Amino acid sequence: MSEVSFSPIGFLATPFRDRFGIPRQGQLAPHAHGQLRLLRPYDREEAVRGLDEFSHVWLSFVFHRSADQWSPTVRPPRLGGNARVGVFASRSPFRPNPLGLSLVELLAIDTRAGVLLTFGGVDLLDGTPVLDIKPYIPFAESQPAARAGFVAGPPRQLAVEFSAQAAARLSVHERRWPDLADLLREVLAQDPRPAYADDPLRHYGFRLYDLEIKWRCTATVAIVEDIVGPSSGA
C-alpha cells in the first residue's frame, strides 16, 4: 500500500486564528473551547452513542498549515530553540505526514441537529481537519512511571497582568466571550514567545476569536497592553 488517503469527519472551530498563541499544553488552558460538527455521513446520533460516558477523548487531526514542510530535525521550544532533535522525538507539526494527536476534555454532545461536540483544553487552530475521535482510557494510557525525555515537567508559568486600557476593553469584549480573561491568562501564562526572545520592550500580537491581542513580557510577567476588536477598533 504505497498511498493512503483520508477524509475529515469535521473541521474544528477554535478561538485560535494563528499558530502563534496556541497553548503548547492544551490541558493547561481548560477555557480554550472548541466545537466539532460532524460531516455527513458521520453526523448520526448512533455514531457517538456511549461517548458521553468518557470525560476525555483523543482527536486525530491534520496539521493543515504545515503540509509538505517536513524536516528530519526540529528545534523544540523546551530546549531553548537552539538544540535539535529528530522529528520523531518531537511533537513538531513539520512531519513527513502532517498528522497530530490531541487529548481534550469532552464537555458536551448535542445531537438535536446532526452531531455537535464541544471540547475543553483545545490546542488546535481554527479550521483544523479532524480525522477521528477515540475515547481516552486512563488505566491503559496513563503511565506515571514513563520517561518524558527533554520534557521534564510542565512549563514555567508567568503571571499575567492587564493594562488599564486592556482591562477596559476586556470588560466590553467579555459580553461576547465571557471566558476571555481566563483564556488569556491560561494562554499567556505558558509564554508563547519563541524560546530565544527575552526583550521586555518588544511587543507581540496574536489573533484570538476576532480580536487582536497586543502584549509584552518581562522575565516573570506577561502584560496585555491592548485588545482590539474588528469593527470599532476597540
Side-chain angles (χ1 to χ4, degrees), residues 51-122:
L51 189 61
D52 59 349
E53 297 182 16
F54 297 89
S55 65
H56 292 74
V57 298
W58 293 106
L59 300 182
S60 300
F61 65 93
V62 177
F63 288 108
H64 59 300
R65 297 256 192 104
S66 304
D68 301 320
Q69 299 180 43
W70 93 278
S71 172
T73 62
V74 296
R75 295 186 176 98
R78 279 297 189 95
L79 295 179
N82 295 314
R84 284 187 174 273
V85 301
V87 65
F88 298 127
S90 80
R91 296 191 178 187
S92 167
F94 303 109
R95 319 189 71 79
N97 294 297
L99 300 177
L101 189 64
S102 184
L103 180 63
V104 297
E105 184 179 5
L106 178 60
L107 299 178
I109 302 175
D110 186 345
T111 57
R112 290 173 295 181
V115 176
L116 178 66
L117 306 173
T118 302
F119 307 116
V122 169

Side-chain angles (χ1 to χ4, degrees), residues 112-185:
R112 290 173 295 181
V115 176
L116 178 66
L117 306 173
T118 302
F119 307 116
V122 169
D123 57 355
L124 302 176
L125 270 171
D126 184 56
T128 291
V130 175
L131 301 180
D132 199 9
I133 304 166
K134 291 185 174 69
Y136 171 75
I137 303 175
F139 90 90
E141 298 174 352
S142 176
Q143 300 292 330
R147 290 183 293 118
F150 57 84
V151 189
R156 177 179 66 100
Q157 298 281 290
L158 299 174
V160 179
E161 298 177 355
F162 294 84
S163 71
Q165 177 169 279
R169 291 184 172 174
L170 177 66
S171 65
V172 173
H173 295 302
E174 282 184 315
R175 297 169 190 168
R176 292 185 300 148
W177 313 112
D179 295 330
L180 181 59
D182 290 324
L183 179 56
L184 278 171
R185 290 189 180 96

Side-chain angles (χ1 to χ4, degrees), residues 2-14:
S2 60
E3 293 187 4
V4 180
S5 62
F6 297 98
S7 298
I9 62 171
F11 296 86
L12 192 65
T14 83

